[in-house]
Amino acid sequence: MRSIWNGAISFGLVSIPIKLVNATESHSISFRQIHTEDGGRIRYRKVCELEDREVSSAEIGKGYEDADGTIIPITDEDLSHLPIPTAKTIEIVAFVPGDRIDPLQMDAAYYLQAGGAPAAKPYTLLREALKRSNKVAIAKYALRGRERLGMLRVVGDAIAMHGLLWPDEVRAPEGVAPDTDVTVRDKELDLADALMDTLGEVDLDDLHDEYRDAVEEVIAAKAAGETPPEAPSPPSGGKVLDLMAALENSVRAAKESRGEETEAPEEAEVRPLPERKAARTSPKETGGKKSTSTAKKTTASSGSARKSTARTAKTAKSAQSAKKTTASKSTAAKKTTAKKTEKTAAKKTTAKKTTPRKRTA
């Protein structure tokens, strides 16, 4: 890989010669500007305004335009003598946990290649130190005419550097989130969790650019004189999707894609948006429904009260019947006891009469 920058990593008093190479490449399809009438290429020519002639790349340099329009020439030699330590050095300023870096700050990615045999030992030392600490290095460096912020981390056996945006270059997400109050039910969250669990993880190597494939099909069809494939029509707007049904169908579809058994599918209910007139009359209808509901509740309450009264009357009759039964039993017991007492007294009297008297000498 061709290097785009040569310098060194400053690691305390340790200096590691390195070369900076691009870690990523673009596979996007690029188009040329053409003249629509005859298909001729449209090219940009670099012309000097003062001489009114086209100039070559070797004649082109840098210049800063002042507020009054004056051009101040700046050469590469002028920039090479800038009084900053990061002009040719990636200066590590701190080591922090990787989760401290906001992904919004991530920019271009580079590999740091060891610059020759003398760099092998300090390069390996820094790599292993980063591995064992589970931290990343925050560094400052200068590239393409400006000082930048970077993050060094280990990728395989190499050290990679991610360009970072300065904190003041990341916008705050103000006015992005919905400004309306929305209530999410627990059941909806449960379905969302189930969908996340069903989808699971994915091997990033299996993903590819489907848009690029579609563009290549269009190009191939046009080159062969055929009609390009048509894209499916987008869904029509102005409708509210039943979120619960959509979540359930999504979970079912994800399970089917993995070969799991699912229940019979249900179509998501799509309801049209309410019109303004219906929204204005809805309070009256709501009030009528509330009155009807209140009347039903009152009728139900009256019925409940009647049933409660009937139950109370039955309970009272049962209590009276129980008292009468108890009283009858008590009276019968008393009569039985009296009869037994009379019989006992009669027996004693009979015994006294039949006993013989003793004679006196």
Side-chain angles (χ1 to χ4, degrees):
M1 291 184 285
R2 185 174 63 87
S3 63
I4 61 173
W5 184 89
N6 296 337
I9 300 175
S10 175
F11 178 32
L13 298 178
V14 178
S15 180
I16 310 172
I18 58 97
K19 297 178 180 180
L20 196 69
V21 297
N22 285 319
T24 62
E25 57 186 2
S26 175
H27 290 164
S28 61
I29 298 175
S30 59
F31 297 99
R32 304 293 186 183
Q33 290 185 331
I34 62 171
H35 189 197
T36 56
E37 292 186 2
D38 54 18
R41 283 280 307 275
I42 302 298
R43 299 179 182 273
Y44 291 99
R45 302 180 186 276
K46 299 178 180 180
V47 177
C48 176
E49 293 181 350
L50 299 180
E51 299 182 6
D52 193 20
R53 67 176 182 89
E54 186 178 356
V55 295
S56 63
S57 298
E59 300 178 87
I60 299 175
K62 300 184 184 70
Y64 176 79
E65 185 175 1
D66 206 352
D68 59 358
T70 304
I71 300 296
I72 304 174
I74 302 293
T75 64
D76 291 338
E77 185 179 359
D78 295 332
L79 297 177
S80 65
H81 293 89
L82 290 176
I84 55 174
T86 58
K88 280 293 182 179
T89 304
I90 299 175
E91 182 182 4
I92 296 177
V93 296
F95 293 89
V96 300
D99 56 7
R100 286 270 305 276
I101 305 302
D102 190 342
L104 287 174
Q105 290 185 255
M106 293 289 190
D107 202 357
Y110 308 96
Y111 286 131
L112 303 182
Q113 181 181 4
K121 182 67 179 285
Y123 185 98
T124 305
L125 172 64
L126 176 59
R127 182 191 66 198
E128 296 303 315
L130 290 172
K131 277 185 180 180
R132 192 167 70 172
S133 65
N134 290 323
K135 293 183 177 181
V136 297
I138 303 300
K140 296 171 68 176
Y141 65 101
L143 181 66
R144 297 190 178 98
R146 54 171 295 201
E147 189 174 50
R148 303 167 186 265
L149 196 62
M151 178 190 74
L152 277 63
R153 68 183 184 96
V154 178
V155 177
D157 292 332
I159 299 176
M161 182 174 70
H162 296 269
L164 298 179
L165 299 176
W166 296 98
D168 59 356
E169 292 179 323
V170 179
R171 294 178 176 178
E174 296 178 357
V176 177
D179 57 355
T180 56
D181 294 334
V182 178
T183 301
V184 179
R185 294 178 292 173
D186 291 338
K187 189 174 182 181
E188 294 171 338
L189 284 174
D190 293 340
L191 283 172
D193 291 340
L195 178 58
M196 293 169 63
D197 295 338
T198 305
L199 291 176
E201 298 182 357
V202 66
D203 187 356
L204 296 180
D205 293 335
D206 296 336
L207 302 179
H208 65 283
D209 188 352
E210 296 182 6
Y211 179 80
R212 186 185 69 189
D213 294 343
V215 172
E216 290 177 349
E217 291 181 6
V218 171
I219 295 173
K222 296 278 286 185
E226 301 174 356
T227 303
E230 295 184 359
S233 58
S236 58
K239 294 182 179 180
V240 179
L241 182 67
D242 187 347
L243 182 59
M244 289 294 294
L247 286 171
E248 291 173 354
N249 291 341
S250 298
V251 173
R252 187 178 297 106
K255 288 182 178 180
E256 290 177 352
S257 66
R258 293 177 178 272
E260 301 179 11
E261 295 183 358
T262 59
E263 299 178 358
E266 297 180 2
E267 293 185 357
E269 179 185 357
V270 179
R271 302 189 299 272
L273 288 171
E275 298 179 358
R276 292 186 177 179
K277 292 183 179 180
R280 292 176 181 174
T281 57
S282 58
K284 294 181 181 180
E285 295 176 358
T286 305
K289 291 181 180 179
K290 287 184 177 178
S291 301
T292 306
S293 177
T294 305
K296 290 182 179 179
K297 290 182 179 178
T298 305
T299 305
S301 300
S302 301
S304 301
R306 290 176 184 173
K307 291 181 180 179
S308 178
T309 305
R311 290 176 184 171
T312 305
K314 288 181 180 180
T315 305
K317 289 181 180 180
S318 299
Q320 290 178 0
S321 299
K323 286 181 181 180
K324 289 180 180 180
T325 303
T326 305
S328 299
K329 290 181 179 180
S330 178
T331 305
K334 288 180 181 180
K335 289 181 179 180
T336 303
T337 304
K339 288 181 180 181
K340 289 182 179 180
T341 304
E342 290 177 358
K343 289 181 180 181
T344 303
K347 287 181 181 181
K348 288 182 180 180
T349 303
T350 305
K352 287 181 181 180
K353 289 181 179 181
T354 57
T355 301
R357 294 181 179 178
K358 293 182 181 182
R359 295 180 179 179
T360 305

